[in-house]
Amino acid sequence: MKIAIVGATGAVGREMVLDLEESSLKDIDLKLFASPRSQGTKIDFRGKSHTVEAFSLERLAGIPFVLMSAGGSFSKEHSPGLVAQGSTVIDNSSAWRMDENVPLVVPEVNRAVLKPHHPRIIANPNCSTIQMVVALKPLFDRFGLDMVQVSTYQSVSGTGQKGIAELSAQVEAQLKFKDIKPQVYAQPIAFNCIPAIDVFHPSGSCNEEIKMVRETQKIMGMPSLSVMATTVRVPTFNCHGETVSARLGKAVTRDELLAAFQAGEGLVLVPEDDYASLPTSRTVAHDRRVFVSRVRLPYGQTSSHWVQFWNIADNLKKGAATNAVQILEEILKEM
C-alpha cells in the first residue's frame, strides 16, 4: 500500500509517521515529502530509514493516499492536483474544512460520510474540535443535545515546532531572570495564559473559537446547534484540555452520564474524584484516546439538562495525526 506524508518533518507529520508505524495497516510503502530545505532528512519507519524528498506533484503520481500536513495555503495550491492524479488527500489544515463538498471527519462521530470511497479531499478537523465531539457523541446519541459551552486550555504544540521552541526558550530565560521577547505570540507564553487564539473577528470572537463553532455543527450534522467557545493558549508543551458544559435534550442523572461516557467510542472515562487519578497534560501525552473526568451536574441537583465535564487529549495525536490515520483505516476497511 503506497502512502505519502507531505510535511513529514513538522510536528504533526512526524506523529503521522509514528501512528502509521503502530497502525493495523500492513505492507506500507511509505514516501515522505517536505519543503526543499528538509530534503535529505532521515526518518525511521518500521525499522527502515526513509529519506525525505522535496515535494512535487509528479513525485506523488501513482500514490493513492496522501496525508497532508503542510499548511492551508500549500494544500489549497496542491491538493486539487493530487486528486486529479488519483490520490485521496487527508488534509490536516483548515483550508477545506468548511467547503460543503469536502467531508469533515471524526470517525467515532461521522464515519458514514466517507462512503462511497473515491479520490477526493477529506478534511481533518481542528484539534480542539475533534476531542470535544468525541466526548459529545455518546451524550447526543442517548440524550439529545441543545447547546454547548466550552473553554479550552491549549498547548503551544498547537502552533507547531515554533510554539514549542518559544515556550522552551522563554522558560529558560525567565528562570535566568533575562528579558523575554515574544515572537510567536503577542505576549510571553511562559508562566502565562493568553485568552484568545488566532486573529479576532469583528464579533469579538477569535478564529479558533469560530472554528470550534462551525466545525462542531458540521461534524455533528446540527447546523443550528448553539456553541459558545473561549479558547486559551496555556504554557504546556502537549495536550489540549477543555471544560465542556452541555445542555442535553432531556434531564439526566450523574449515573446515566457516567454510563454514556463509559460506552463512548474512543473515550476513556476516569470516574474517580481523586487528584492522583485525574487526566492531565502530563498523564495523557502520546496517548491516542480522549479522556473525560470531573463529570457532574449543577451543584445540589440530582437530575438536570445541564452537565459539565473535563475533556483532555494529545492535540498532536487524536487532535491531528491519529485522527488522520484513523480516517485512512476507515477507508481501507471498505476497500
Side-chain angles (χ1 to χ4, degrees):
M1 173 61 65
K2 291 184 178 181
I3 299 171
I5 298 176
V6 178
T9 58
V12 173
R14 289 182 180 273
E15 293 295 337
M16 287 176 170
V17 174
L18 292 174
D19 272 78
L20 275 177
E21 183 168 23
E22 298 173 10
S23 74
S24 61
L25 303 177
K26 307 298 182 184
D27 300 321
I28 295 174
D29 180 6
L30 183 64
K31 303 295 183 182
L32 303 178
F33 298 90
S35 64
R37 68 176 179 272
S38 296
Q39 185 175 6
T41 301
K42 302 291 186 181
I43 296 177
D44 289 338
F45 177 75
R46 292 184 174 173
K48 181 180 178 182
S49 179
H50 287 61
T51 301
V52 176
E53 302 177 51
F55 172 87
S56 71
L57 282 176
E58 294 77 16
R59 288 177 176 170
L60 277 82
I63 298 178
F65 297 102
V66 178
L67 302 180
M68 175 75 71
S69 185
S73 58
F74 186 93
S75 181
K76 277 286 189 181
E77 181 179 357
H78 296 292
S79 290
L82 290 169
V83 173
Q85 290 183 169
S87 298
T88 293
V89 179
I90 302 172
D91 180 54
N92 192 59
S93 78
S94 61
W96 305 98
R97 291 172 185 163
M98 298 316 300
D99 188 314
E100 63 180 12
N101 297 313
V102 174
L104 184 65
V105 182
V106 179
E108 297 92 335
V109 182
N110 65 337
R111 55 169 54 90
V113 300
L114 292 171
K115 302 176 183 178
H117 171 67
H118 56 87
R120 57 178 168 173
I121 299 168
I122 299 168
N124 212 27
N126 187 40
C127 45
S128 50
T129 304
I130 290 174
Q131 67 187 73
M132 184 173 74
V133 297
V134 169
L136 290 175
K137 183 62 162 63
L139 304 185
F140 169 74
D141 286 346
R142 293 195 182 198
F143 314 121
L145 186 63
D146 293 337
M147 184 178 186
V148 179
Q149 297 176 343
V150 58
S151 294
T152 72
Y153 309 82
Q154 296 181 223
S155 67
V156 296
S157 58
T159 314
Q161 296 285 8
K162 61 184 179 180
I164 295 171
E166 176 130 319
L167 175 57
S168 181
Q170 288 182 3
V171 168
E172 182 179 3
Q174 183 83 51
L175 294 177
K176 292 180 178 179
F177 301 100
K178 294 181 179 180
D179 290 336
I180 294 177
K181 296 180 180 179
Q183 296 179 331
V184 176
Y185 305 108
Q187 294 188 34
I189 186 61
F191 307 102
N192 198 18
C193 296
I194 303 174
I197 297 175
D198 210 333
V199 300
F200 281 102
H201 188 267
S203 66
S205 295
C206 62
N207 266 2
E208 187 79 359
E209 293 158 355
I210 295 170
K211 289 177 190 176
M212 290 196 74
V213 173
R214 299 177 68 200
E215 291 179 24
T216 299
Q217 292 169 337
K218 182 175 179 178
I219 296 164
M220 302 291 293
M222 303 176 70
S224 61
L225 178 66
S226 180
V227 181
M228 293 189 69
T230 299
T231 55
V232 183
R233 187 71 70 193
V234 300
T236 55
F237 287 109
N238 282 50
C239 303
H240 293 351
E242 298 175 346
T243 300
V244 182
S245 300
R247 179 175 171 81
L248 306 180
K250 58 179 285 189
V252 298
T253 66
R254 186 169 184 265
D255 285 344
E256 289 175 314
L257 280 177
L258 294 173
F261 283 131
Q262 188 74 57
E265 184 182 357
L267 280 178
V268 177
L269 172 66
V270 181
E272 299 85 6
D273 293 324
D274 169 63
Y275 279 103
S277 301
L278 292 176
T280 65
S281 299
R282 282 183 175 270
T283 62
V284 311
H286 312 301
D287 199 297
R288 293 175 174 82
R289 301 166 296 176
V290 176
F291 290 74
V292 168
S293 64
R294 302 291 327 279
V295 179
R296 58 204 187 275
L297 306 179
Y299 179 72
Q301 298 184 26
T302 58
S303 177
S304 176
H305 284 76
W306 280 101
V307 303
Q308 195 169 64
F309 57 92
W310 172 248
N311 170 27
I312 190 165
D314 189 321
N315 56 293
L316 297 181
K317 286 293 189 182
K318 182 54 183 172
T322 299
N323 197 74
V325 171
Q326 288 173 332
I327 291 171
L328 176 56
E329 288 175 320
E330 287 292 332
I331 294 171
L332 293 176
K333 284 179 186 177
E334 304 299 322
M335 294 180 65

